[in-house]
Amino acid sequence: VPPEDMSARKATPSAPGWSNARDKAWFCVSTGLLFFSTSPEDQVPYAFLNLKATKIGKLDPSGCFISLVPNADNGEGGDTARTTGMLQAIYLLPDGRWQIFEILSLDTQVRDRETLTAWHEVLQSVCASNERVAAIPEAPPEVTTTERSVPPTSTVI
């Protein structure tokens, strides 16, 4: 679980291209699962994703984006990824049922580089891939970025 000082409860938008849209989610990692909540106060998740079937696909420090993709090479928890090439997000319905949604990737933007570094470390330790994505390089003193919007399939944490 990420340290308290990087909690989404204290999130304030600062990343270039940060979206103030309603497509925000709060994440919690527990026992190899990534849980999604609607707010930092919401203790009941509405969905989860098995991190054992994922690996870090892309890392964009300038825009504070991280992407999870299927880990088709993984034997543990990766059967679906191997056969379909998709991640399975499990949505928990209010009546106790669930629904599986297959997605190509989970593209996420966080509030700043410190949060990105912390989530990168957590995901590196939990995701099933034996490959390691290179550490996030230090930001140069002045970074210029172009404004860009969050893709429609992105989730902001």
XYZ file of all heavy atoms in Angstrom, residues 23-113:
707
model
N -14.002 11.853 -14.435
C -13.489 10.501 -14.595
C -12.362 10.187 -13.615
O -11.476 9.409 -13.895
C -13.048 10.252 -16.033
C -11.932 11.177 -16.490
O -11.664 12.164 -15.792
O -11.346 10.914 -17.546
N -12.423 10.773 -12.420
C -11.407 10.514 -11.405
C -11.766 9.258 -10.619
O -12.936 8.945 -10.432
C -11.295 11.687 -10.438
C -10.719 12.914 -11.071
C -10.566 14.005 -10.046
C -10.020 15.248 -10.725
N -9.918 16.369 -9.792
N -10.722 8.585 -10.147
C -10.912 7.418 -9.287
C -9.814 7.431 -8.241
O -8.752 8.011 -8.446
C -10.846 6.131 -10.104
N -10.064 6.812 -7.127
C -9.064 6.659 -6.080
C -8.708 5.198 -6.011
O -9.572 4.325 -6.036
C -9.621 7.176 -4.748
C -9.524 8.656 -4.655
C -8.596 9.354 -3.963
C -10.346 9.638 -5.294
N -8.786 10.702 -4.126
C -9.850 10.904 -4.945
C -11.450 9.568 -6.142
C -10.422 12.085 -5.384
C -12.015 10.747 -6.586
C -11.500 11.979 -6.214
N -7.409 4.907 -5.953
C -6.908 3.537 -5.981
C -6.392 3.108 -4.619
O -5.874 3.914 -3.856
C -5.743 3.409 -6.956
C -6.111 3.519 -8.408
C -5.109 3.687 -9.345
C -7.406 3.434 -8.849
C -5.401 3.783 -10.685
C -7.717 3.521 -10.194
C -6.708 3.709 -11.121
N -6.478 1.808 -4.384
C -5.891 1.198 -3.205
C -5.364 -0.169 -3.636
O -6.050 -0.910 -4.343
C -6.948 1.036 -2.117
S -6.365 0.144 -0.673
N -4.138 -0.498 -3.254
C -3.559 -1.798 -3.584
C -3.584 -2.673 -2.341
O -3.139 -2.261 -1.274
C -2.106 -1.646 -4.089
C -1.461 -3.003 -4.297
C -2.070 -0.836 -5.374
N -4.121 -3.878 -2.498
C -4.154 -4.840 -1.396
C -4.130 -6.247 -1.963
O -4.905 -6.557 -2.875
C -5.418 -4.629 -0.558
O -5.461 -5.537 0.512
N -3.245 -7.065 -1.433
C -3.098 -8.483 -1.812
C -3.120 -8.714 -3.319
O -3.801 -9.600 -3.819
C -4.164 -9.366 -1.131
O -5.470 -8.973 -1.572
C -4.074 -9.301 0.368
N -2.383 -7.898 -4.050
C -2.254 -8.093 -5.490
C -3.424 -7.589 -6.310
O -3.504 -7.846 -7.505
N -4.350 -6.876 -5.685
C -5.496 -6.324 -6.394
C -5.455 -4.800 -6.326
O -5.066 -4.223 -5.317
C -6.806 -6.821 -5.783
C -7.038 -8.327 -5.824
C -8.300 -8.684 -5.041
C -7.120 -8.845 -7.244
N -5.885 -4.171 -7.409
C -6.007 -2.717 -7.465
C -7.491 -2.400 -7.355
O -8.279 -2.751 -8.233
C -5.443 -2.183 -8.784
C -5.511 -0.677 -9.011
C -4.612 0.049 -8.007
C -5.101 -0.336 -10.428
N -7.896 -1.769 -6.243
C -9.298 -1.430 -6.006
C -9.563 0.012 -6.422
O -8.746 0.894 -6.187
C -9.647 -1.608 -4.519
C -9.652 -3.042 -4.085
C -8.549 -3.593 -3.464
C -10.770 -3.841 -4.311
C -8.545 -4.921 -3.065
C -10.772 -5.169 -3.911
C -9.656 -5.713 -3.281
N -10.730 0.249 -7.008
C -11.166 1.566 -7.465
C -12.290 2.056 -6.558
O -13.226 1.309 -6.281
C -11.748 1.491 -8.884
C -10.810 0.991 -9.928
C -10.442 -0.342 -9.995
C -10.324 1.855 -10.886
C -9.593 -0.805 -10.983
C -9.468 1.401 -11.888
C -9.109 0.068 -11.928
N -12.216 3.311 -6.126
C -13.283 3.938 -5.344
C -13.647 5.267 -5.988
O -12.857 5.849 -6.720
C -12.832 4.188 -3.905
O -12.588 2.971 -3.248
N -14.836 5.752 -5.660
C -15.306 7.006 -6.257
C -14.782 8.239 -5.549
O -14.783 9.329 -6.116
C -16.845 7.068 -6.255
O -17.300 6.914 -4.911
C -17.432 5.996 -7.145
N -14.357 8.098 -4.301
C -13.842 9.238 -3.557
C -12.903 8.722 -2.468
O -12.924 7.543 -2.136
C -14.978 10.040 -2.928
O -15.521 9.346 -1.819
N -12.093 9.599 -1.916
C -11.189 9.147 -0.864
C -11.931 8.709 0.400
O -11.420 7.912 1.169
C -10.304 10.364 -0.582
C -10.941 11.508 -1.266
C -11.897 10.975 -2.276
N -13.143 9.195 0.600
C -13.916 8.805 1.774
C -14.674 7.500 1.566
O -15.135 6.887 2.515
C -14.927 9.903 2.149
C -14.296 11.197 2.589
C -13.882 12.087 1.420
O -14.455 11.959 0.322
O -12.956 12.889 1.602
N -14.860 7.084 0.311
C -15.637 5.883 -0.005
C -14.824 4.643 0.352
O -13.801 4.366 -0.260
C -15.997 5.878 -1.492
C -16.995 4.796 -1.854
O -17.409 4.038 -0.957
O -17.362 4.714 -3.039
N -15.276 3.903 1.327
C -14.555 2.712 1.772
C -14.939 1.459 0.974
O -14.331 0.418 1.132
C -14.826 2.464 3.264
C -14.370 3.614 4.147
C -12.871 3.856 4.057
O -12.086 2.928 4.062
N -12.474 5.114 3.969
N -15.967 1.551 0.131
C -16.427 0.400 -0.640
C -15.986 0.588 -2.094
O -16.401 1.533 -2.752
C -17.956 0.265 -0.568
C -18.442 -0.930 -1.375
C -18.411 0.157 0.880
N -15.152 -0.321 -2.606
C -14.725 -0.172 -4.001
C -15.856 -0.515 -4.967
O -16.747 -1.295 -4.643
C -13.583 -1.186 -4.122
C -13.867 -2.205 -3.084
C -14.563 -1.492 -1.960
N -15.803 0.081 -6.157
C -16.792 -0.246 -7.177
C -16.212 -1.178 -8.238
O -16.946 -1.724 -9.057
C -17.379 1.008 -7.830
C -16.406 1.844 -8.623
C -16.128 1.553 -9.955
C -15.772 2.936 -8.038
C -15.234 2.323 -10.677
C -14.892 3.710 -8.752
C -14.624 3.403 -10.072
O -13.730 4.165 -10.776
N -14.884 -1.388 -8.197
C -14.248 -2.263 -9.186
C -12.867 -2.669 -8.683
O -12.331 -2.063 -7.756
C -14.126 -1.557 -10.533
N -12.310 -3.709 -9.318
C -10.938 -4.092 -9.016
C -10.292 -4.727 -10.236
O -10.963 -5.123 -11.187
C -10.849 -5.011 -7.789
C -11.461 -6.377 -7.973
C -10.700 -7.456 -8.425
C -12.791 -6.594 -7.664
C -11.264 -8.702 -8.578
C -13.358 -7.846 -7.808
C -12.600 -8.915 -8.268
N -8.967 -4.810 -10.191
C -8.155 -5.352 -11.272
C -7.073 -6.222 -10.650
O -6.444 -5.818 -9.666
C -7.518 -4.188 -12.045
C -6.652 -4.491 -13.247
C -7.528 -4.893 -14.431
C -5.852 -3.259 -13.621
N -6.857 -7.414 -11.193
C -5.813 -8.320 -10.702
C -4.464 -7.859 -11.233
O -4.183 -7.962 -12.427
C -6.111 -9.748 -11.155
C -5.059 -10.740 -10.714
O -4.133 -10.411 -9.970
N -5.198 -11.965 -11.171
N -3.616 -7.355 -10.353
C -2.306 -6.850 -10.779
C -1.351 -7.963 -11.189
O -0.368 -7.707 -11.874
C -1.689 -5.999 -9.673
C -2.405 -4.678 -9.407
C -1.809 -3.975 -8.200
C -2.355 -3.775 -10.626
N -1.623 -9.198 -10.792
C -0.759 -10.320 -11.179
C -0.843 -10.589 -12.681
O 0.008 -11.251 -13.246
C -1.134 -11.588 -10.410
C -0.959 -11.466 -8.925
C 0.490 -11.528 -8.558
C 0.639 -11.518 -7.051
N 1.922 -11.053 -6.629
N -1.890 -10.081 -13.327
C -2.062 -10.280 -14.764
C -1.625 -9.051 -15.555
O -1.928 -8.924 -16.726
C -3.526 -10.608 -15.070
N -0.915 -8.115 -14.895
C -0.520 -6.878 -15.568
C 0.983 -6.648 -15.500
O 1.692 -7.293 -14.731
C -1.202 -5.653 -14.919
O -0.669 -5.473 -13.610
C -2.699 -5.798 -14.858
N 1.408 -5.723 -16.301
C 2.766 -5.190 -16.208
C 2.694 -3.718 -16.572
O 1.707 -3.260 -17.163
C 3.735 -5.940 -17.118
C 3.451 -5.809 -18.599
C 4.449 -6.612 -19.413
C 4.146 -6.524 -20.900
N 5.098 -7.312 -21.681
N 3.709 -2.985 -16.189
C 3.743 -1.567 -16.538
C 4.089 -1.457 -18.016
O 5.107 -1.972 -18.460
C 4.752 -0.808 -15.657
C 4.309 -0.876 -14.193
C 4.888 0.639 -16.121
C 5.302 -0.302 -13.213
N 3.213 -0.795 -18.759
C 3.417 -0.663 -20.193
C 4.191 0.586 -20.546
O 5.246 0.535 -21.158
N 3.655 1.737 -20.138
C 4.295 3.013 -20.445
C 4.391 3.847 -19.184
O 3.554 3.754 -18.301
C 3.479 3.779 -21.491
C 3.580 3.232 -22.883
C 2.975 4.184 -23.883
C 1.506 3.889 -24.040
N 0.811 4.738 -24.994
N 5.403 4.676 -19.174
C 5.619 5.597 -18.078
C 5.983 6.938 -18.695
O 6.932 7.027 -19.474
C 6.773 5.066 -17.220
C 6.985 5.643 -15.852
C 5.770 5.427 -14.964
C 8.194 4.983 -15.214
N 5.211 7.978 -18.408
C 5.443 9.305 -18.971
C 5.606 10.301 -17.828
O 4.623 10.872 -17.354
C 4.288 9.702 -19.876
C 4.415 11.111 -20.431
O 5.478 11.750 -20.238
O 3.447 11.589 -21.045
N 6.837 10.495 -17.346
C 7.056 11.405 -16.225
C 6.648 12.851 -16.511
O 6.206 13.550 -15.612
C 8.553 11.315 -15.968
C 8.982 10.035 -16.595
C 8.063 9.821 -17.747
N 6.776 13.309 -17.749
C 6.448 14.705 -18.042
C 4.963 14.985 -17.873
O 4.578 16.072 -17.461
C 6.904 15.080 -19.444
O 6.198 14.324 -20.404
N 4.106 14.019 -18.167
C 2.668 14.204 -18.007
C 2.105 13.476 -16.807
O 0.905 13.500 -16.576
N 2.986 12.804 -16.035
C 2.581 12.045 -14.846
C 1.604 10.924 -15.183
O 0.641 10.675 -14.463
C 2.016 12.956 -13.770
S 3.238 14.125 -13.132
N 1.853 10.222 -16.297
C 1.017 9.101 -16.726
C 1.747 7.781 -16.502
O 2.967 7.684 -16.689
C 0.694 9.197 -18.229
C -0.360 10.199 -18.565
C -0.015 11.486 -18.901
C -1.701 9.848 -18.546
C -0.978 12.426 -19.225
C -2.677 10.782 -18.858
C -2.314 12.068 -19.205
N 0.976 6.763 -16.118
C 1.483 5.398 -16.046
C 0.409 4.499 -16.655
O -0.788 4.753 -16.506
C 1.841 4.990 -14.598
C 2.605 3.676 -14.581
C 0.601 4.936 -13.719
C 3.281 3.387 -13.249
N 0.839 3.491 -17.386
C -0.091 2.619 -18.081
C 0.151 1.168 -17.681
O 1.300 0.711 -17.667
C 0.110 2.784 -19.590
O -0.728 1.911 -20.297
N -0.916 0.451 -17.359
C -0.846 -0.987 -17.094
C -1.401 -1.719 -18.302
O -2.443 -1.343 -18.846
C -1.661 -1.360 -15.852
C -1.186 -0.787 -14.534
C -2.137 -1.175 -13.406
C 0.222 -1.253 -14.211
N -0.704 -2.766 -18.727
C -1.114 -3.566 -19.879
C -1.125 -5.031 -19.488
O -0.540 -5.415 -18.469
C -0.162 -3.328 -21.081
C -0.230 -1.884 -21.558
C 1.254 -3.719 -20.741
N -1.770 -5.891 -20.297
C -1.785 -7.316 -19.980
C -0.377 -7.894 -19.985
O 0.467 -7.507 -20.783
C -2.603 -7.943 -21.101
C -3.349 -6.823 -21.725
C -2.530 -5.593 -21.494
N -0.118 -8.823 -19.084
C 1.156 -9.524 -19.052
C 0.932 -10.922 -19.624
O 0.671 -11.864 -18.886
C 1.689 -9.601 -17.623
C 3.059 -10.226 -17.567
O 3.704 -10.393 -18.593
N 3.503 -10.582 -16.386
N 1.003 -11.023 -20.943
C 0.715 -12.278 -21.626
C 1.739 -13.364 -21.325
O 1.475 -14.539 -21.519
C 0.629 -12.041 -23.128
N 2.929 -13.007 -20.835
C 3.972 -13.995 -20.548
C 3.842 -14.604 -19.168
O 4.557 -15.522 -18.826
C 5.357 -13.340 -20.651
C 5.597 -12.778 -22.038
O 5.035 -13.327 -22.998
O 6.325 -11.788 -22.139
N 2.927 -14.095 -18.371
C 2.823 -14.499 -16.979
C 2.012 -15.782 -16.826
O 0.956 -15.929 -17.393
C 2.175 -13.366 -16.169
C 1.981 -13.743 -14.727
O 2.776 -14.483 -14.174
N 0.932 -13.247 -14.150
N 2.475 -16.691 -16.019
C 1.758 -17.921 -15.736
C 0.786 -17.767 -14.591
O -0.238 -18.418 -14.534
N 1.065 -16.894 -13.629
C 0.224 -16.729 -12.450
C -0.744 -15.582 -12.646
O -0.374 -14.430 -12.735
C 1.094 -16.437 -11.221
C 0.294 -16.274 -9.965
C 1.165 -15.865 -8.799
O 2.393 -15.955 -8.897
O 0.600 -15.448 -7.794
N -2.030 -15.888 -12.733
C -3.042 -14.854 -12.863
C -3.137 -14.257 -14.247
O -3.913 -13.364 -14.472
N -2.373 -14.764 -15.191
C -2.337 -14.169 -16.513
C -3.016 -14.983 -17.585
O -2.809 -14.737 -18.749
N -3.826 -15.965 -17.216
C -4.470 -16.812 -18.219
C -5.314 -15.997 -19.189
O -5.251 -16.189 -20.387
C -5.348 -17.878 -17.547
C -4.509 -18.897 -16.798
O -3.323 -19.058 -17.161
O -5.024 -19.520 -15.864
N -6.099 -15.070 -18.675
C -6.934 -14.243 -19.538
C -6.077 -13.371 -20.433
O -6.329 -13.244 -21.615
C -7.873 -13.360 -18.697
O -8.660 -14.225 -17.882
C -8.771 -12.528 -19.568
N -5.035 -12.793 -19.876
C -4.154 -11.943 -20.672
C -3.503 -12.743 -21.789
O -3.340 -12.252 -22.900
C -3.090 -11.304 -19.784
N -3.135 -13.987 -21.502
C -2.500 -14.822 -22.527
C -3.469 -15.176 -23.637
O -3.107 -15.195 -24.808
C -1.956 -16.103 -21.901
C -0.527 -16.029 -21.496
C 0.109 -17.403 -21.336
N -0.701 -18.346 -20.617
C -0.761 -18.478 -19.293
N -0.069 -17.682 -18.531
N -1.507 -19.383 -18.725
N -4.722 -15.486 -23.300
C -5.653 -15.950 -24.320
C -6.348 -14.819 -25.060
O -6.646 -14.955 -26.234
C -6.721 -16.878 -23.697
O -7.404 -16.161 -22.669
C -6.091 -18.136 -23.143
N -6.616 -13.692 -24.386
C -7.364 -12.618 -25.043
C -6.530 -11.371 -25.301
O -6.943 -10.522 -26.073
C -8.581 -12.191 -24.195
O -8.114 -11.576 -22.993
C -9.483 -13.362 -23.887
N -5.403 -11.220 -24.634
C -4.604 -10.012 -24.764
C -5.272 -8.799 -24.140
O -4.989 -7.666 -24.505
N -6.166 -9.026 -23.179
C -6.921 -7.950 -22.544
C -6.793 -8.043 -21.022
O -6.577 -9.111 -20.474
C -8.405 -8.062 -22.902
C -8.695 -8.098 -24.389
S -8.595 -6.497 -25.146
C -10.228 -5.919 -24.901
N -6.942 -6.900 -20.364
C -7.055 -6.871 -18.913
C -8.522 -7.061 -18.555
O -9.406 -6.642 -19.300
C -6.605 -5.514 -18.357
C -5.144 -5.128 -18.520
C -4.928 -3.709 -17.997
C -4.263 -6.097 -17.774
N -8.773 -7.687 -17.416
C -10.143 -7.823 -16.954
C -10.361 -6.941 -15.733
O -9.754 -7.160 -14.691
C -10.474 -9.273 -16.595
C -10.646 -10.153 -17.791
C -11.224 -11.501 -17.417
O -11.111 -11.957 -16.291
N -11.843 -12.143 -18.388
N -11.222 -5.945 -15.905
C -11.644 -5.111 -14.785
C -12.975 -5.667 -14.305
O -13.890 -5.881 -15.097
C -11.801 -3.660 -15.226
N -13.073 -5.928 -13.011
C -14.283 -6.504 -12.435
C -15.064 -5.379 -11.752
O -14.580 -4.782 -10.792
C -13.953 -7.606 -11.394
C -12.893 -8.576 -11.907
C -15.219 -8.301 -10.935
C -13.231 -9.316 -13.160
N -16.250 -5.084 -12.259
C -17.120 -4.070 -11.663
C -18.081 -4.749 -10.705
O -18.739 -5.729 -11.055
C -17.878 -3.297 -12.745
C -17.006 -2.269 -13.402
C -16.110 -2.627 -14.402
C -17.038 -0.947 -12.996
C -15.279 -1.692 -14.987
C -16.206 -0.001 -13.579
C -15.336 -0.387 -14.568
O -14.509 0.538 -15.138
N -18.140 -4.221 -9.490
C -18.987 -4.776 -8.439
C -20.325 -4.040 -8.454
O -20.372 -2.829 -8.231
C -18.295 -4.634 -7.087
C -16.893 -5.250 -7.036
C -16.183 -4.851 -5.758
C -16.973 -6.753 -7.181
N -21.395 -4.777 -8.711
C -22.717 -4.177 -8.790
C -23.359 -4.115 -7.400
O -23.061 -4.952 -6.534
C -23.587 -4.983 -9.759
C -23.004 -5.115 -11.179
C -23.830 -6.067 -12.021
C -22.901 -3.754 -11.836
N -24.238 -3.133 -7.155
C -24.823 -2.948 -5.822
C -25.596 -4.155 -5.292
O -25.712 -4.340 -4.087
C -25.772 -1.750 -6.001
C -25.310 -1.057 -7.225
C -24.656 -2.097 -8.089
N -26.133 -5.002 -6.176
C -26.924 -6.149 -5.728
C -26.081 -7.397 -5.462
O -26.610 -8.479 -5.234
C -28.023 -6.467 -6.733
C -27.498 -6.864 -8.103
O -26.264 -6.960 -8.277
O -28.318 -7.078 -9.016
N -24.754 -7.261 -5.476
C -23.880 -8.390 -5.154
C -23.334 -9.127 -6.370
O -22.450 -9.964 -6.246
N -23.862 -8.835 -7.539
C -23.324 -9.445 -8.750
C -22.108 -8.648 -9.208
O -21.787 -7.617 -8.650
C -24.391 -9.445 -9.866
C -25.590 -10.298 -9.540
C -26.670 -10.218 -10.623
N -27.129 -8.847 -10.748
C -27.355 -8.229 -11.916
N -27.167 -8.856 -13.058
N -27.763 -6.976 -11.961
N -21.425 -9.146 -10.231
C -20.304 -8.424 -10.806
C -20.351 -8.558 -12.309
O -21.032 -9.427 -12.849
C -18.964 -8.928 -10.259
C -18.615 -10.322 -10.677
C -17.964 -10.719 -11.805
C -18.929 -11.521 -9.975
N -17.838 -12.078 -11.849
C -18.427 -12.600 -10.722
C -19.585 -11.804 -8.772
C -18.564 -13.923 -10.323
C -19.717 -13.121 -8.376
C -19.199 -14.156 -9.147
N -19.626 -7.673 -12.973
C -19.551 -7.694 -14.425
C -18.107 -7.509 -14.833
O -17.408 -6.647 -14.298
C -20.419 -6.593 -15.021
C -20.509 -6.659 -16.528
C -21.570 -5.715 -17.065
O -22.206 -4.979 -16.332
N -21.744 -5.744 -18.379
N -17.662 -8.315 -15.770
C -16.286 -8.260 -16.255
C -16.240 -7.383 -17.508
O -17.025 -7.570 -18.438
C -15.750 -9.665 -16.584
C -15.740 -10.525 -15.328
C -14.368 -9.584 -17.217
C -15.417 -11.984 -15.580
N -15.306 -6.430 -17.496
C -15.044 -5.602 -18.669
C -13.617 -5.869 -19.101
O -12.696 -5.812 -18.290
C -15.207 -4.112 -18.346
C -16.631 -3.694 -18.180
C -17.228 -3.714 -16.938
C -17.374 -3.283 -19.274
C -18.544 -3.329 -16.776
C -18.692 -2.889 -19.126
C -19.281 -2.920 -17.864
N -13.445 -6.180 -20.381
C -12.096 -6.382 -20.908
C -11.620 -5.074 -21.516
O -12.329 -4.443 -22.296
C -12.090 -7.513 -21.918
C -12.358 -8.848 -21.248
C -12.185 -10.028 -22.174
O -12.310 -9.871 -23.412
O -11.921 -11.123 -21.652
N -10.399 -4.677 -21.119
C -9.828 -3.423 -21.601
C -8.419 -3.680 -22.113
O -7.737 -4.598 -21.652
C -9.823 -2.346 -20.492
C -9.097 -2.843 -19.240
C -11.237 -1.917 -20.151
C -8.989 -1.829 -18.119
N -7.986 -2.873 -23.064
C -6.645 -3.026 -23.631
C -5.570 -2.590 -22.650
O -4.514 -3.199 -22.561
C -6.507 -2.236 -24.925
C -7.330 -2.738 -26.099
C -7.245 -1.757 -27.264
C -6.853 -4.110 -26.519
N -5.833 -1.500 -21.929
C -4.861 -0.984 -20.967
C -5.574 -0.089 -19.971
O -6.686 0.374 -20.226
C -3.743 -0.212 -21.663
O -4.256 0.968 -22.239
N -4.914 0.163 -18.863
C -5.410 1.116 -17.872
C -4.403 2.256 -17.841
O -3.285 2.101 -17.366
C -5.529 0.462 -16.493
C -5.983 1.391 -15.376
C -7.425 1.844 -15.615
C -5.865 0.703 -14.027
N -4.794 3.393 -18.433
C -3.928 4.562 -18.514
C -4.330 5.521 -17.407
O -5.476 5.941 -17.341
C -4.064 5.237 -19.877
C -3.723 4.277 -20.995
O -2.758 3.515 -20.858
O -4.444 4.284 -22.010
N -3.371 5.858 -16.569
C -3.663 6.629 -15.364
C -2.754 7.840 -15.266
O -1.569 7.760 -15.545
C -3.442 5.733 -14.120
O -4.216 4.547 -14.287
C -3.858 6.427 -12.866
N -3.324 8.953 -14.854
C -2.550 10.164 -14.596
C -2.630 10.463 -13.102
O -3.704 10.402 -12.507
C -3.096 11.358 -15.375
C -2.281 12.617 -15.154
C -2.880 13.833 -15.837
O -4.085 13.908 -16.029
N -2.033 14.775 -16.188
N -1.477 10.757 -12.511
C -1.430 11.117 -11.093
C -1.111 12.593 -10.955
O -0.767 13.257 -11.928
C -0.411 10.245 -10.315
C -0.838 8.784 -10.327
C 0.983 10.392 -10.867
N -1.178 13.112 -9.731
C -1.108 14.558 -9.517
C 0.267 15.178 -9.716
O 0.369 16.342 -10.058
C -1.639 14.908 -8.140
C -0.746 14.423 -7.025
C -1.273 14.856 -5.664
N -0.325 14.423 -4.659
C -0.600 13.610 -3.683
N -1.803 13.131 -3.565
N 0.324 13.266 -2.828
N 1.367 14.432 -9.449
C 2.708 15.014 -9.573
C 3.749 13.903 -9.692
O 3.433 12.721 -9.598
C 3.022 15.937 -8.390
C 2.869 15.246 -7.043
O 3.136 14.035 -6.942
O 2.482 15.928 -6.076
N 5.012 14.305 -9.914
C 6.096 13.334 -10.114
C 6.359 12.490 -8.868
O 6.703 11.322 -8.969
C 7.376 14.043 -10.535
C 7.343 14.549 -11.966
C 8.634 15.274 -12.299
N 9.753 14.373 -12.386
C 10.146 13.752 -13.491
N 9.490 13.933 -14.596
N 11.196 12.966 -13.482
